[in-house]
Amino acid sequence: MSALQSNSRLIPLGLMAAGTFAIGTDAFIVAGVLTEIAAALRVGPAEAGQLISLFALSYMVFAPLSAWLLGNINRRRILQLALVLFIAGNLACAWADSYLQLALGRVLAALGAASFTPQAAAAAGTLVEEKRKGLAISIVYGGMTLAIALGIPFGTFLAHVIGWRDIFLGIAALGGVALLGLSWVLQDLPAPGKHSLRERLAPLRQRAVLSTLLITFFAVSSEHIVYSYVSVLLRDTRLGVEAILPLALLVFGVGAVIGNAVSGVLTDTLGSRLVLLVSIGIQTLSLFLLAFYAHSPWWVLGIFLIWGVTGWMYLVPIQHRLLSLSKRFGALTVSLNSAVLYAGIAAGGMLGGLTLYSLSVTVLPWLALPLGLAALLLTAVCFRKEPEHG
């Protein structure tokens, strides 16, 4: 492949990564600016936190629905439509005068995000030769990882300087760059094709697949019952005169990059069962320690680093396991796991919000403990008799 051809493929991949970076930042930025949104809209932190759950729940519903409805449309057109919806949703959030308007903006942004990310990953694989498909897909999803590492902590810091509304405007602008760029450089791509609802749910007939998806649900719920309200949990924690939250989120993001980088190698070397047991076990312990050390800045930074590493280690072995269990419906099985992941985010945020109506935020790490232990127990039991590699 010539250098010119290589560059012509890298540009659309980079633009897709810019889109997933904007989506990743948008999905979780509310956690970093939750107290500011709550104050501006005159609602409690519990209500503001439900905006995270609303986005996640909408994504969970819209991802398979949009894939089904848009299955016969040119994939380039799908990406354009998705980004238009995403931009419109974030503009609605930036200009919202009420909680309801902001909530509707989050739903619209989630519709765009759910339509864009899976199609961008699939499109990336069609732009390169077979042996480079993995690299192309990793570039697209790398935007999401970079959002966790840099977009969310930097956005949280900027929100304290310029205001949370401008953060949503910035996200919309980044989506606009991706839209204009892809409209300019991306060629027409074949329609993805449709799968019936029966085909999409076929993997659930396997008990081992269902139990593995439950591991995802409990592990993610455990994590996001705390993450969704981390700005409330760390509201009074400072390092010197500076609030610890932006730095803690940055440290978490660095940990996420490390965890994502090593998880594949560790899964291939040690097997999915051991990686899952270690990552979920350490994450559960880290979250529980926040019940005691949330007001100690150095403890917080250490916990967030370990949490970031382990929280981004367990998804790869879970997907490895699902692919080995359901070779015939591999792609559909992984898409189900993505839906369950967002269901876990929504459930964690909702449970945390309901808790804050009557109890202190310091209770949330205690609630994360049984959810994490449920994921750990399922891993220990369900992986016991299964081969590590399939």
Side-chain angles (χ1 to χ4, degrees):
M1 184 181 291
S2 68
L4 181 60
Q5 287 175 316
S6 179
N7 288 336
S8 69
R9 306 288 173 83
L10 282 175
I11 292 173
L13 290 177
L15 289 167
M16 291 178 196
T20 57
F21 176 84
I23 287 169
T25 303
D26 189 44
F28 302 111
I29 191 63
V30 171
V33 297
L34 188 145
T35 54
E36 288 83 359
I37 290 176
L41 300 182
R42 295 183 177 87
V43 297
E47 290 90 345
Q50 298 307 317
L51 294 169
I52 300 172
S53 298
L54 183 62
F55 184 98
L57 195 60
S58 300
Y59 190 109
M60 180 194 74
V61 173
F62 290 143
L65 185 61
S66 63
W68 177 65
L69 290 174
L70 304 176
N72 292 329
I73 298 178
N74 182 292
R75 191 167 263 142
R76 177 174 178 266
R77 299 295 182 196
I78 296 176
L79 294 176
Q80 291 173 318
L81 173 62
L83 285 171
V84 168
L85 294 171
F86 177 74
I87 293 165
N90 278 281
L91 291 177
C93 290
W95 298 329
D97 293 326
S98 69
Y99 182 85
L100 178 59
Q101 291 176 3
L102 185 56
L104 292 175
R106 296 294 286 166
V107 172
L108 187 57
L111 173 57
S115 303
F116 180 86
T117 304
Q119 298 295 343
T126 68
L127 294 176
V128 298
E129 52 195 4
E130 183 68 30
K131 65 180 181 180
R132 299 186 182 221
K133 281 189 176 182
L135 176 61
I137 293 171
S138 70
I139 289 173
V140 173
Y141 278 112
M144 192 78 70
T145 306
L146 193 62
I148 300 295
L150 297 176
I152 296 170
F154 188 59
T156 301
F157 171 76
L158 278 181
H160 295 120
V161 177
I162 62 176
W164 62 271
R165 295 181 185 275
D166 290 326
I167 300 303
F168 284 113
L169 286 176
I171 293 171
L174 186 55
V177 170
L179 173 62
L180 292 175
L182 288 174
S183 298
W184 181 263
V185 305
L186 190 64
Q187 60 187 351
D188 284 343
L189 298 170
K194 286 191 176 184
H195 292 281
S196 68
L197 182 61
R198 180 171 182 162
E199 287 176 315
R200 291 187 176 279
L201 299 180
L204 295 179
R205 299 192 194 108
Q206 299 182 49
R207 184 176 177 182
V209 169
L210 190 57
S211 62
T212 305
L213 293 175
L214 284 174
I215 294 171
T216 297
F217 178 79
F218 283 118
V220 172
S221 297
S222 172
E223 182 174 7
H224 282 273
I225 196 173
V226 177
Y227 190 87
S228 298
Y229 300 95
V230 70
S231 65
V232 183
L233 183 66
L234 301 182
R235 180 169 45 199
D236 300 321
T237 307
R238 297 185 172 275
L239 186 62
V241 296
E242 297 295 330
I244 197 69
L245 179 62
L247 182 57
L249 291 175
L250 177 61
V251 169
F252 178 89
V254 170
V257 172
I258 296 171
N260 188 63
V262 304
S263 59
V265 175
L266 290 177
T267 299
D268 289 337
T269 305
L270 303 175
S272 55
R273 183 177 190 269
L274 182 58
V275 175
L276 270 176
L277 287 172
V278 171
S279 58
I280 294 175
I282 295 177
Q283 175 185 269
T284 301
L285 177 61
S286 300
L287 293 170
F288 183 60
L289 287 175
L290 284 173
F292 306 97
Y293 297 107
H295 296 295
S296 176
W298 292 109
W299 270 96
V300 165
L301 294 180
I303 289 171
F304 269 64
L305 177 62
I306 296 170
W307 176 13
V309 172
T310 54
W312 280 77
M313 278 179 61
Y314 62 79
L315 293 177
V316 168
I318 284 177
Q319 294 192 39
H320 178 277
R321 160 87 165 180
L322 288 171
L323 288 171
S324 69
L325 287 171
S326 187
K327 291 183 173 63
R328 181 183 174 192
F329 299 105
L332 295 179
T333 306
V334 172
S335 70
L336 281 174
N337 190 58
S338 296
V340 171
L341 186 150
Y342 277 92
I345 294 172
M350 288 177 181
L351 182 56
L354 291 173
T355 302
L356 291 186
Y357 280 115
S358 56
L359 298 173
S360 167
V361 69
T362 56
V363 175
L364 298 184
W366 287 88
L367 293 179
L369 181 62
L371 294 171
L373 291 177
L376 202 58
L377 180 61
L378 277 170
T379 302
V381 172
C382 298
F383 277 52
R384 185 172 51 194
K385 297 179 181 180
E386 296 292 336
E388 288 294 344
H389 304 284

